[in-house]
Amino acid sequence: MSDDIIRRDPRAEWIARNRLHPLHDAMKQAGAAEVRGPSGLIRRNPHAVGFIGPNGIKRIDRLNGNSQAGGSRRAAAKTVDLPLHRVETPDYYIAVVPDLIGGRLTAHDKDVLGQAHQLVSAAGGAGAVLTIVFGDIREDSFDKSGVDRLMQFSGEQFEGYAPEARIAALEHIEKSLAPKFWLFPDSVAAGFELGCRLAARLDERPLTQAWQVGPETTLCRGAGGSSDITRPTQRLLLLAPECANPIDETRHEALAMEAVELGATEGKLSDLGQVAVDPNSVALGEAEFILSAGNGVSNWDNFHRAAELLGATEGGSRVVVDDGHMPRFRQVGASGTWVTARVYVAVGISGAVQHLQGIGQCDKVVAVNTDIGCDMVKRAALSVIDDGDEVLTELMKLVQEYRQLEVTDAA
Amino acid sequence: MPPKSVADLRVAALISVGKHPSSGRARRADQDARAVEMGLGLAPGGLEVIHAGNPNETVLRDYAGMGLNKLKVIEQSADADVVPALSEYLSDDCPDIVLTGVRAESGESSGMMAYLLGEKLGLPVVTRIAEIRAITDGQAEVLQALPRGQRRAVRVALPFIASVDSAAAPARQSAYGPAMRAELEADSRGIEIKDEVRAGWEENPARKRPKRLKVVKAKTAADRFKAATAKATGDGGTVMRDETPAEKAKAIFDLLVEEGVLR
Ligand SMILES: Cc1cc2nc3c(=O)[nH]c(=O)nc-3n(C[C@H](O)[C@H](O)[C@H](O)COP(=O)(O)OP(=O)(O)OC[C@H]3O[C@@H](n4cnc5c(N)ncnc54)[C@H](O)[C@@H]3O)c2cc1C
């Protein structure tokens, strides 16, 4: 019975209440975990909840540690380790030949890799997704895109436009590994052409513009995209964009496989290189490299000269278009053109939401701005805090030197 | 501008029946018409325009109205595979250049025609050409249309097969009078092979494809909320502040060179 009687210690209580008491801290730490109120109820001390944040303000974590509390969220997100998908000894291969534009996997390529893994899980067994790439690679996330094996053909004969050499390589893989499926992105870039050439060479009938691939039947777009054809699934597939979801929950080995040395193939086609086209004749929406001007640009002659010298298509923010410095069709952003450039150089653009929406698909954004805190700097892969005109002038000097060097090298 | 150096150049343009993208009505296929246009520019005298299919098809007159006197029609039924017939016809007396469209606007629309013919006839195939710039000493220099409005020059030896891209010069208008006067020369002697594989397919009007949703795989509501409302930010790029303008320009220059956009 005596256990039930709550013994109160008025002195301890008083010290606990008085934060200025010399013994207050010691007492609190000494394990006054439970503080009883006068009626015997447990009292929570609201002052003891939470912690002091980096800028001296008290923070209360109401998620009970569920969010990655502590360090910065961005750093934490990077360290998440996805489970590794391992294929020790593959029973069969599924070959994927990505477009690899600019040495990187495109979104379409990643969809195709996702489709390859769907086919592996439908077929069962230990299947490995073999990715075959030609020329230089700049991609660093093959493992996160679902590449189990990677075979790279490099060398002069595969550079540029070399369909004959590439087909010879693919034919060799067909003979040595006999992949269960061949997957290509059905894109305007190399995928469509390589797929068709391989199909003609192997005398297989490919499925083109396939967008729903099952183990038995496949839905393909036919008649210029106006009809759906249901047909049995074949070995050679040319896949439409968004045919499957890209891989995002596993990591893969991306083990390099030795590419065979192929002798120089005798080709009837020879690549004479890309031809200079007037960058301003290219539609803004499909331009590859855009130099874009905002309200921070004052020397317009300088800007136009820079665009010409760099070989970049010109673009602008709404403000400069409204001010009449550029025609309306040069406006980038929500109410202008949604651009898809690989490299977007924004000079004197603050990065309003309407503008950032328009450049959502750009790979590399470079910001030149006097204001370090503006949103464009947050979006950019490289930001330069300086006067736009001055940087452009310096950049032009470098490009001029580079061009001259090239001419003397060629001579 | 026709390259004048070759007087007796022989060009064949293969044409098909197109389909208007919105009305679905039969029409002159856009890329095929561009191929005919290119052929007319190259060799107005030596151009042969060939169709494999039904000789009574009225759409063929739309091509004839571009100023052709004669159209060759290799008679084939609707369910035939036209590649054997065409390759047989072309192999008899092969022209210097065979032009086709990249992809047909009706049927399977696989885009395989040029490659299959190339494989059968043993000719090189050039894809998506926009222009034939010059023909000298049995070699042609062609301009290929690349994505993003770029062009690439390719040299190829005659004879060859080329598929004509939509970036090629647009076809001239079709005139009614010449279209009616042109002769449609039907040829029914060739082989005809039924496309039996295709008979087993089921063809329906295109279904609307579901839009891909942006699925956020976040564990907590707070993270999902953050993902839904966050502004687009890059993954923490480099910021250069205290360097000289020359150094900053160098950094931009290096990035442009590394990305390969500076040519
Ligand atoms: C309905 C609606 C639709 C819109 N649609 C679009 C759209 O499609 N596209 C679009 O662009 N905008 C659009 N806007 C406008 C948008 O909100 C912004 O007003 C606009 O994008 C700002 O343009 P800016 O960045 O060029 O100018 P500012 O915001 O004035 O930014 C100028 C930047 O230049 C910098 N700067 C100044 N001097 C220099 C210097 N010497 N060197 C370097 N940097 C310098 C400044 O620090 C600043 O960051 C839209 C707005 C609305 C309301």
Short mmCIF file of all heavy atoms in Angstrom, two decimals, chain A residues 335-364:
data_model
loop_
_atom_site.label_atom_id
_atom_site.label_comp_id
_atom_site.label_asym_id
_atom_site.label_seq_id
_atom_site.Cartn_x
_atom_site.Cartn_y
_atom_site.Cartn_z
N SER A 335 4.86 31.27 -71.56
CA SER A 335 4.03 31.85 -72.61
C SER A 335 4.80 32.01 -73.91
O SER A 335 4.32 32.63 -74.85
CB SER A 335 3.44 33.18 -72.15
OG SER A 335 4.44 33.98 -71.58
N GLY A 336 5.99 31.45 -73.97
CA GLY A 336 6.76 31.47 -75.21
C GLY A 336 6.98 30.06 -75.68
O GLY A 336 6.05 29.28 -75.80
N THR A 337 8.23 29.68 -75.89
CA THR A 337 8.56 28.35 -76.37
C THR A 337 9.16 27.52 -75.24
O THR A 337 9.95 28.03 -74.45
CB THR A 337 9.60 28.44 -77.50
OG1 THR A 337 9.14 29.40 -78.44
CG2 THR A 337 9.78 27.12 -78.19
N TRP A 338 8.77 26.28 -75.18
CA TRP A 338 9.39 25.35 -74.23
C TRP A 338 10.58 24.75 -74.96
O TRP A 338 10.40 24.04 -75.94
CB TRP A 338 8.41 24.25 -73.82
CG TRP A 338 7.28 24.77 -73.02
CD1 TRP A 338 6.43 25.77 -73.39
CD2 TRP A 338 6.88 24.36 -71.71
NE1 TRP A 338 5.52 25.99 -72.38
CE2 TRP A 338 5.77 25.15 -71.35
CE3 TRP A 338 7.35 23.40 -70.82
CZ2 TRP A 338 5.13 25.00 -70.13
CZ3 TRP A 338 6.71 23.25 -69.62
CH2 TRP A 338 5.61 24.05 -69.27
N VAL A 339 11.75 25.04 -74.48
CA VAL A 339 12.93 24.63 -75.23
C VAL A 339 13.47 23.30 -74.71
O VAL A 339 13.17 22.91 -73.58
CB VAL A 339 14.03 25.72 -75.18
CG1 VAL A 339 13.53 26.99 -75.80
CG2 VAL A 339 14.51 25.95 -73.77
N THR A 340 14.24 22.64 -75.56
CA THR A 340 14.78 21.33 -75.19
C THR A 340 16.30 21.31 -75.34
O THR A 340 16.89 20.26 -75.51
CB THR A 340 14.20 20.24 -76.10
OG1 THR A 340 14.50 20.60 -77.45
CG2 THR A 340 12.72 20.11 -75.95
N ALA A 341 16.90 22.49 -75.31
CA ALA A 341 18.34 22.58 -75.59
C ALA A 341 19.15 21.72 -74.62
O ALA A 341 18.76 21.51 -73.48
CB ALA A 341 18.79 24.02 -75.49
N ARG A 342 20.27 21.23 -75.11
CA ARG A 342 21.18 20.50 -74.22
C ARG A 342 21.97 21.49 -73.37
O ARG A 342 22.27 21.21 -72.22
CB ARG A 342 22.13 19.63 -75.04
CG ARG A 342 21.53 18.30 -75.40
CD ARG A 342 22.59 17.24 -75.64
NE ARG A 342 23.47 17.58 -76.72
CZ ARG A 342 24.78 17.73 -76.58
NH1 ARG A 342 25.33 17.57 -75.41
NH2 ARG A 342 25.52 18.03 -77.62
N VAL A 343 22.31 22.61 -73.97
CA VAL A 343 23.05 23.63 -73.22
C VAL A 343 22.31 24.96 -73.36
O VAL A 343 22.00 25.39 -74.47
CB VAL A 343 24.48 23.77 -73.76
CG1 VAL A 343 25.23 24.82 -72.98
CG2 VAL A 343 25.21 22.44 -73.69
N TYR A 344 22.01 25.56 -72.23
CA TYR A 344 21.26 26.81 -72.22
C TYR A 344 22.05 27.84 -71.43
O TYR A 344 22.30 27.65 -70.24
CB TYR A 344 19.90 26.55 -71.57
CG TYR A 344 18.95 27.72 -71.60
CD1 TYR A 344 18.19 27.99 -72.72
CD2 TYR A 344 18.83 28.58 -70.51
CE1 TYR A 344 17.31 29.05 -72.75
CE2 TYR A 344 17.97 29.65 -70.53
CZ TYR A 344 17.20 29.88 -71.66
OH TYR A 344 16.34 30.94 -71.69
N VAL A 345 22.49 28.88 -72.09
CA VAL A 345 23.26 29.92 -71.41
C VAL A 345 22.35 31.12 -71.19
O VAL A 345 21.88 31.72 -72.16
CB VAL A 345 24.51 30.32 -72.23
CG1 VAL A 345 25.31 31.36 -71.49
CG2 VAL A 345 25.36 29.10 -72.53
N ALA A 346 22.08 31.44 -69.94
CA ALA A 346 21.16 32.53 -69.61
C ALA A 346 21.97 33.73 -69.13
O ALA A 346 22.61 33.66 -68.08
CB ALA A 346 20.19 32.07 -68.52
N VAL A 347 21.93 34.80 -69.89
CA VAL A 347 22.69 36.00 -69.53
C VAL A 347 21.71 37.04 -69.00
O VAL A 347 20.82 37.48 -69.73
CB VAL A 347 23.45 36.55 -70.75
CG1 VAL A 347 24.33 37.71 -70.34
CG2 VAL A 347 24.26 35.47 -71.41
N GLY A 348 21.87 37.42 -67.75
CA GLY A 348 21.03 38.47 -67.18
C GLY A 348 19.57 38.09 -67.09
O GLY A 348 18.69 38.91 -67.31
N ILE A 349 19.30 36.82 -66.76
CA ILE A 349 17.91 36.38 -66.57
C ILE A 349 17.75 35.97 -65.11
O ILE A 349 18.55 35.20 -64.58
CB ILE A 349 17.58 35.19 -67.50
CG1 ILE A 349 17.76 35.60 -68.95
CG2 ILE A 349 16.17 34.71 -67.26
CD1 ILE A 349 17.42 34.52 -69.94
N SER A 350 16.71 36.49 -64.48
CA SER A 350 16.58 36.27 -63.04
C SER A 350 16.06 34.87 -62.74
O SER A 350 16.29 34.34 -61.67
CB SER A 350 15.66 37.32 -62.44
OG SER A 350 14.39 37.23 -63.05
N GLY A 351 15.33 34.27 -63.68
CA GLY A 351 14.82 32.93 -63.43
C GLY A 351 13.46 32.93 -62.78
O GLY A 351 13.22 32.23 -61.79
N ALA A 352 12.54 33.72 -63.34
CA ALA A 352 11.16 33.68 -62.85
C ALA A 352 10.58 32.30 -63.15
O ALA A 352 11.02 31.63 -64.07
CB ALA A 352 10.35 34.76 -63.57
N VAL A 353 9.57 31.89 -62.36
CA VAL A 353 8.99 30.55 -62.57
C VAL A 353 8.57 30.34 -64.00
O VAL A 353 8.79 29.28 -64.57
CB VAL A 353 7.71 30.30 -61.73
CG1 VAL A 353 7.87 29.06 -60.92
CG2 VAL A 353 7.34 31.49 -60.92
N GLN A 354 7.95 31.39 -64.58
CA GLN A 354 7.45 31.24 -65.96
C GLN A 354 8.60 30.95 -66.91
O GLN A 354 8.45 30.25 -67.90
CB GLN A 354 6.74 32.51 -66.41
CG GLN A 354 5.45 32.79 -65.70
CD GLN A 354 5.65 33.66 -64.47
OE1 GLN A 354 6.78 34.00 -64.11
NE2 GLN A 354 4.58 34.02 -63.81
N HIS A 355 9.76 31.49 -66.59
CA HIS A 355 10.92 31.24 -67.45
C HIS A 355 11.50 29.85 -67.17
O HIS A 355 11.83 29.12 -68.08
CB HIS A 355 11.97 32.32 -67.23
CG HIS A 355 13.02 32.35 -68.29
ND1 HIS A 355 12.90 33.07 -69.44
CD2 HIS A 355 14.20 31.69 -68.39
CE1 HIS A 355 13.96 32.87 -70.20
NE2 HIS A 355 14.76 32.03 -69.59
N LEU A 356 11.60 29.50 -65.90
CA LEU A 356 12.18 28.20 -65.53
C LEU A 356 11.34 27.04 -66.07
O LEU A 356 11.87 26.00 -66.43
CB LEU A 356 12.32 28.08 -64.02
CG LEU A 356 13.41 28.95 -63.40
CD1 LEU A 356 13.52 28.66 -61.91
CD2 LEU A 356 14.74 28.73 -64.06
N GLN A 357 10.04 27.24 -66.13
CA GLN A 357 9.19 26.19 -66.70
C GLN A 357 9.61 25.88 -68.13
O GLN A 357 9.67 24.73 -68.53
CB GLN A 357 7.74 26.64 -66.70
CG GLN A 357 7.04 26.40 -65.39
CD GLN A 357 5.67 27.03 -65.38
OE1 GLN A 357 5.23 27.65 -66.36
NE2 GLN A 357 4.98 26.89 -64.27
N GLY A 358 9.90 26.93 -68.86
CA GLY A 358 10.25 26.76 -70.27
C GLY A 358 11.55 26.05 -70.49
O GLY A 358 11.80 25.47 -71.55
N ILE A 359 12.45 26.07 -69.49
CA ILE A 359 13.75 25.42 -69.68
C ILE A 359 13.84 24.15 -68.85
O ILE A 359 14.93 23.65 -68.59
CB ILE A 359 14.93 26.36 -69.35
CG1 ILE A 359 14.88 26.82 -67.90
CG2 ILE A 359 14.93 27.56 -70.28
CD1 ILE A 359 16.14 27.56 -67.47
N GLY A 360 12.68 23.62 -68.46
CA GLY A 360 12.66 22.43 -67.62
C GLY A 360 13.39 21.24 -68.21
O GLY A 360 13.94 20.42 -67.49
N GLN A 361 13.42 21.14 -69.55
CA GLN A 361 14.03 19.96 -70.16
C GLN A 361 15.49 20.15 -70.54
O GLN A 361 16.08 19.27 -71.14
CB GLN A 361 13.26 19.60 -71.42
CG GLN A 361 11.89 19.04 -71.13
CD GLN A 361 11.22 18.63 -72.42
OE1 GLN A 361 11.79 17.91 -73.22
NE2 GLN A 361 10.03 19.11 -72.65
N CYS A 362 16.04 21.30 -70.22
CA CYS A 362 17.43 21.55 -70.60
C CYS A 362 18.38 20.78 -69.68
O CYS A 362 18.16 20.70 -68.48
CB CYS A 362 17.76 23.03 -70.52
SG CYS A 362 16.85 23.99 -71.72
N ASP A 363 19.45 20.23 -70.27
CA ASP A 363 20.40 19.44 -69.50
C ASP A 363 21.32 20.32 -68.67
O ASP A 363 21.39 20.20 -67.46
CB ASP A 363 21.26 18.60 -70.44
CG ASP A 363 20.57 17.33 -70.85
OD1 ASP A 363 19.55 17.02 -70.23
OD2 ASP A 363 21.04 16.67 -71.78
N LYS A 364 22.03 21.18 -69.35
CA LYS A 364 23.03 22.01 -68.66
C LYS A 364 22.62 23.46 -68.80
O LYS A 364 22.46 23.96 -69.92
CB LYS A 364 24.40 21.82 -69.32
CG LYS A 364 25.01 20.48 -69.06
CD LYS A 364 25.96 20.53 -67.90
CE LYS A 364 26.22 19.11 -67.51
NZ LYS A 364 27.09 18.80 -66.49
#
